């Protein structure tokens, strides 16, 4: 892991890492700007949505891990 990469290998690593990010970002912007899809937003009423999430977890048993009893 401590071996240094050649400049060409660093360029390839940068390209391989950034192309998927550029692709997804471009696709999301295309959908928003050209197709008119609305922007995703976070819920504004955090107290209400937070309590619903807690109630869902408690009633369905999700998120409790492997706790034997």
């Amino acid at each position: 892991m401590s071996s240094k990469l050649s400049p060409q290998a660093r360029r390839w690593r940068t390209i391989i890492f950034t192309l998927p990010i550029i692709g997804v970002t471009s696709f999301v912007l295309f959908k928003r700007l050209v197709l008119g899809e609305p922007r995703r937003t976070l819920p504004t009423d955090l107290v209400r949505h937070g309590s619903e999430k807690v109630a869902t977890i408690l009633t369905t048993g999700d998120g409790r891990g492997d706790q034997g009893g």
Side-chain angles (χ1 to χ4, degrees):
M1 295 293 279
S2 65
S3 64
K4 299 288 183 184
L5 291 175
S6 68
Q8 184 65 29
R10 284 198 313 257
R11 275 188 224 108
W12 275 109
R13 181 186 60 188
T14 302
I15 290 169
I16 290 171
F17 182 77
T18 57
L19 276 180
I21 295 170
I22 291 170
V24 170
T25 303
S26 299
F27 181 67
V28 169
L29 285 174
F30 171 78
K31 287 189 339 184
R32 282 180 47 200
L33 297 176
V34 176
L35 301 179
E37 185 173 297
R39 182 176 168 188
R40 292 175 66 180
T41 59
L42 294 173
T44 56
D45 189 4
L46 294 178
V47 173
R48 182 172 65 89
H49 289 288
S51 62
E52 288 175 3
K53 181 70 173 175
V54 171
T56 302
I57 290 172
L58 291 177
T59 57
T60 62
D62 291 341
R64 291 177 20 170
D66 290 333
Q67 296 177 351

